[in-house]
Amino acid sequence: PAGAEAALREALPLCRDAAHRHCEAYVLQGLGLALAAPGRAPEGLDLEREALALRRSLGDRDGEAWVLVTSALIHFRRGVGG
């Protein structure tokens, strides 16, 4: 997870600098999931919420569904239903 986190943190400003919002949402989603593994679920869920808001603002219903899936996986890993 540390390598994934580093790569995603490097990618995030590139997406933002390019104003590529779909890329930004994808990276935020991946970063949220990567952070869930080492026990940083609250931080990961914050990033998932940011990705979800971005996907919704873009009207990206498919991406929105995938963010909800990865958010559910984070909750599942934590043993939290809500």
Side-chain angles (χ1 to χ4, degrees):
E5 179 183 355
L8 290 163
R9 288 200 184 276
E10 184 176 343
L12 188 57
L14 298 174
C15 295
R16 287 179 172 160
D17 289 347
H20 194 306
R21 299 188 74 207
H22 286 279
C23 175
E24 180 182 351
Y26 187 75
V27 170
L28 286 167
Q29 180 180 352
L31 188 54
L33 191 56
L35 292 180
R40 293 163 58 192
E43 185 180 354
L45 287 168
D46 286 343
L47 292 166
E48 293 289 314
R49 281 188 281 277
E50 189 176 345
L52 183 60
L54 188 51
R55 296 272 192 194
R56 285 180 172 160
S57 75
L58 293 168
D60 181 0
R61 306 255 312 146
D62 184 57
E64 183 180 340
W66 279 111
V67 173
L68 291 170
V69 168
T70 55
S71 295
L73 289 171
I74 294 171
H75 283 293
F76 179 78
R77 286 181 180 171
R78 291 177 67 194
V80 177

